[in-house]
Amino acid sequence: MTYDADVILSLEHVGVGYPTRKLFSREKFWALDDVSLTLSRGETLGVLGRNGAGKSTLLKLLSGILVPDRGVLYRKEKITISLLALQLGFMPQLSGRENAMMSCILLGLSRSEASQRLDRIFSFAEIEHAMDKPVSTYSAGMRARLGFGVAMEADPDVLLVDEVLGVGDAHFRKKSSAMLKQRMGAGRSVVVVSHELATLRQLCDRVVVLDKGRTTLSGNVSEILAVYQAETENLRA
Amino acid sequence: MQIVDLILYKAYAELRRDIASAYLGMLWWVLEPLMYMAAFYMVFAVGIRSGGENFVSFLLCGLASWKWFASTLNQAAASIVMHRGLIQQVYIPKVILPLIPAVVNFVKFQVILLLLLLFLWAGDTPVSLNWFYLLPVILVELVFILACSLLIAALVPFVMDLRILITNGLTMMMFLSGIFFSVKDFPEDVQVYFYLNPMVSIIESFRAVLLDGVVPDWHALGLVLFCSILAGLVGCWVLRRFDHHYAKVML
């Protein structure tokens, strides 16, 4: 199968099943049943779904933690994809510097690449003064900022974002959404997963609706929002 | 993924954490094995008094190599389960998880080994150039430990019950590894069964080199090495085969 040169990730009728916890049973629970979507370079894709629709499983599939049990997943060569996980592998007893190194290496950087980026990470997070203090002495906001700084500097081709970024205070929130927008401008792709229309409307070019493990709708934001809202209202009526 | 960097930095981070989270820090690397050995010394050398002369050196050789094996295995068994949160957030080749405690404990073993050598040197054991034969013995034990670690780490997530089995199995195995007695004191038809346990040959090799200054039993060590490599390959195969499956069973 051939793909548009711009497509960096695509799923066709993909299913992911979890083993049921019964001994000797081959039965599966299909968290993702039939999912199809494509993601192009520089695009911001929104995934809209209620609780239990399969959003987290989809993110794990896209980030390579899980692989499809059926269907086809295409990932362009040498594409790095990672989940925006704040405080990835942090150990509170270690210093901010050591934890940032650890997170960067977990995100696929080498030791020397990681150490070169430390200064930028800490200046972005605005905690240069606390670089060598143990993370256990950081406030929750400082930790989150450090985690966000690491994720930005690790700079994957596709960043996967779960829900709203409630990172730090208003000033830092502004700075981080500006950073996300700037990434999008620089040809990096983003997948945002949310159960809220409002979040996706602000950020995304295109939206896919996920319902009970199936992608039911896909298209540009305004179309989808109109259909989705109508459906939700029908449900209520 | 920079696998080597990841293993080494994670091992460094865990060592640093151990140091940072105790008041006595690095001193515990020395104190802990000393206390461990002192406990057995009191039971067997002061209490039961089973051994003849040189019994303390005999005991310490066994304990040093055993402690390295047992500590690594206990941690390796838990290595994937312990990182269940992390493997839900980022893809990590699962093969590396049991290798982290292997590196950490190899570093700690160096301290124990140094203490052991100092003790022997201070006592009346003659220091000999033949001590260099210890290097291949250590290498064989390292390979054996890596193999067991990979195999056990691969299986525990599927059958959690194994962890209980391993903790208690190790205690049982400890008393069958010839740490407190010499297997050679048993009748030959019983000895055969003892040698099914690779730690028996490894511990005997430690003693042959350090206490008697003779060449270890290459034949026995070669057999251990060969079986370990096979077991290690099976472990790697399972870990790679189910690489993406662990995130599903470890929720």
Side-chain angles (χ1 to χ4, degrees):
Chain A
M1 179 160 277
T2 54
Y3 293 93
D4 189 328
D6 273 349
V7 172
I8 51 178
L9 192 64
S10 106
L11 304 182
E12 282 166 51
H13 305 294
V14 164
V16 173
Y18 285 87
T20 49
R21 265 303 198 179
K22 274 179 241 151
L23 206 59
F24 305 120
S25 154
R26 297 219 125 218
E27 230 176 286
K28 278 182 174 172
F29 163 67
W30 293 93
L32 293 183
D33 195 21
D34 183 356
V35 173
S36 301
L37 57 83
T38 60
L39 179 72
S40 302
R41 191 176 290 283
E43 185 184 33
T44 305
L45 180 71
V47 176
L48 184 64
R50 296 191 186 85
N51 283 334
K55 291 178 306 225
S56 330
T57 306
L58 180 62
L59 288 180
K60 284 179 203 164
L61 177 71
L62 296 179
S63 58
I65 294 168
L66 300 178
V67 290
D69 291 311
R70 59 185 186 213
V72 182
L73 180 145
Y74 162 82
R75 181 186 289 130
K76 196 168 180 154
E77 277 167 59
K78 289 185 192 149
I79 285 283
T80 53
I81 303 176
S82 63
L83 199 64
L84 175 57
L86 300 182
Q87 301 158 54
L88 185 66
F90 271 25
M91 293 181 179
Q93 302 91 337
L94 299 191
S95 70
R97 181 198 299 272
E98 287 162 329
N99 275 304
M101 284 286 290
M102 189 73 251
S103 281
C104 283
I105 295 172
L106 281 169
L107 289 171
L109 300 185
S110 69
R111 256 171 94 158
S112 56
E113 284 171 326
S115 63
Q116 279 162 19
R117 298 182 199 207
L118 284 180
D119 284 334
R120 284 212 298 276
I121 290 171
F122 281 84
S123 74
F124 176 80
E126 298 172 13
I127 46 172
E128 294 98 327
H129 56 283
M131 210 164 169
D132 290 307
K133 290 197 180 117
V135 165
S136 56
T137 64
Y138 286 21
S139 68
M142 282 162 83
R143 282 184 221 187
R145 267 144 57 187
L146 177 57
F148 194 82
V150 168
M152 288 301 109
E153 277 301 323
D155 198 24
D157 298 303
V158 181
L159 185 67
L160 308 172
V161 184
D162 196 353
E163 296 294 339
V164 204
L165 298 166
V167 180
D169 51 18
H171 159 71
F172 192 77
R173 234 182 348 255
K174 219 179 217 171
K175 194 167 162 181
S176 29
S177 46
M179 190 77 184
L180 270 180
K181 293 236 167 75
Q182 187 196 323
R183 273 178 52 87
M184 296 165 192
R188 299 287 192 255
S189 311
V190 179
V191 177
V192 187
V193 162
S194 177
H195 58 97
E196 271 180 6
L197 294 165
T199 322
L200 298 181
R201 199 190 332 230
Q202 281 171 17
L203 292 166
C204 304
D205 310 328
R206 225 155 42 82
V207 171
V208 169
V209 177
L210 190 65
D211 186 29
K212 292 182 190 129
R214 293 163 169 270
T215 40
T216 49
L217 288 168
S218 144
N220 75 44
V221 183
S222 46
E223 289 167 26
I224 296 295
L225 295 187
V227 181
Y228 190 75
Q229 265 167 338
E231 266 187 12
T232 318
E233 268 155 34
N234 278 344
L235 274 177
R236 283 209 196 108
Chain B
M1 178 88 64
Q2 309 287 331
I3 288 185
V4 177
D5 280 359
L6 183 49
I7 296 174
L8 293 181
Y9 202 80
K10 186 86 171 107
Y12 160 80
E14 289 191 0
L15 288 168
R16 273 277 296 127
R17 180 193 53 193
D18 289 350
I19 293 169
S21 53
Y23 285 114
L24 294 183
M26 218 163 170
L27 209 54
W28 279 116
W29 291 14
V30 177
L31 288 179
E32 202 228 330
L34 279 183
M35 287 177 71
Y36 177 83
M37 290 177 178
F40 288 102
Y41 172 78
M42 281 192 274
V43 174
F44 289 96
V46 182
I48 300 176
R49 280 181 203 272
S50 63
E53 57 176 323
N54 274 340
F55 183 69
V56 178
S57 320
F58 176 89
L59 185 68
L60 293 185
C61 284
L63 283 175
S65 43
W66 174 263
K67 186 165 169 47
W68 176 24
F69 170 75
S71 317
T72 315
L73 230 61
N74 264 323
Q75 291 170 30
S79 61
I80 294 184
V81 184
M82 210 176 71
H83 291 105
R84 61 170 80 204
L86 196 59
I87 64 176
Q88 301 292 340
Q89 291 181 306
V90 65
Y91 168 71
I92 306 172
K94 308 303 170 285
V95 172
I96 72 161
L97 293 176
L99 299 181
I100 297 162
V103 173
V104 168
N105 285 291
F106 184 65
V107 173
K108 289 186 178 171
F109 172 69
Q110 302 308 309
V111 179
I112 299 179
L113 182 64
L114 189 71
L115 288 175
L116 176 66
L117 294 181
L118 281 175
F119 177 85
L120 294 178
W121 174 72
D124 42 13
T125 318
V127 175
S128 96
L129 268 182
N130 280 353
W131 279 16
F132 280 104
Y133 283 122
L134 205 57
L135 294 175
V137 178
I138 289 174
L139 181 74
V140 171
E141 181 168 356
L142 179 65
V143 175
F144 176 63
I145 288 176
L146 288 175
C148 295
S149 301
L150 288 165
L151 206 56
I152 280 167
L155 299 179
V156 164
F158 294 110
V159 193
M160 289 291 190
D161 317 42
L162 274 176
R163 269 183 80 181
I164 308 166
L165 203 66
I166 286 161
T167 315
N168 292 295
L170 278 173
T171 311
M172 213 185 292
M173 190 175 160
M174 177 176 188
F175 291 103
L176 295 175
S177 292
I179 299 171
F180 310 108
F181 53 83
S182 172
V183 171
K184 297 265 192 289
D185 295 344
F186 284 81
E188 284 214 17
D189 52 332
V190 181
Q191 280 186 32
V192 182
Y193 296 104
F194 275 109
Y195 282 108
L196 291 177
N197 170 2
M199 280 310 288
V200 172
S201 303
I202 292 173
I203 289 174
E204 283 189 346
S205 302
F206 265 84
R207 287 176 184 147
V209 173
L210 290 178
L211 304 184
D212 307 330
V214 298
V215 177
D217 181 351
W218 296 124
H219 179 73
L221 286 180
L223 197 65
V224 172
L225 187 67
F226 178 73
C227 296
S228 300
I229 290 174
L230 284 187
L233 288 176
V234 173
C236 283
W237 181 83
V238 176
L239 285 165
R240 288 187 62 91
R241 169 72 181 73
F242 294 102
D243 203 11
H244 294 278
H245 197 71
Y246 290 106
K248 285 184 185 173
V249 292
M250 301 264 73
L251 287 172

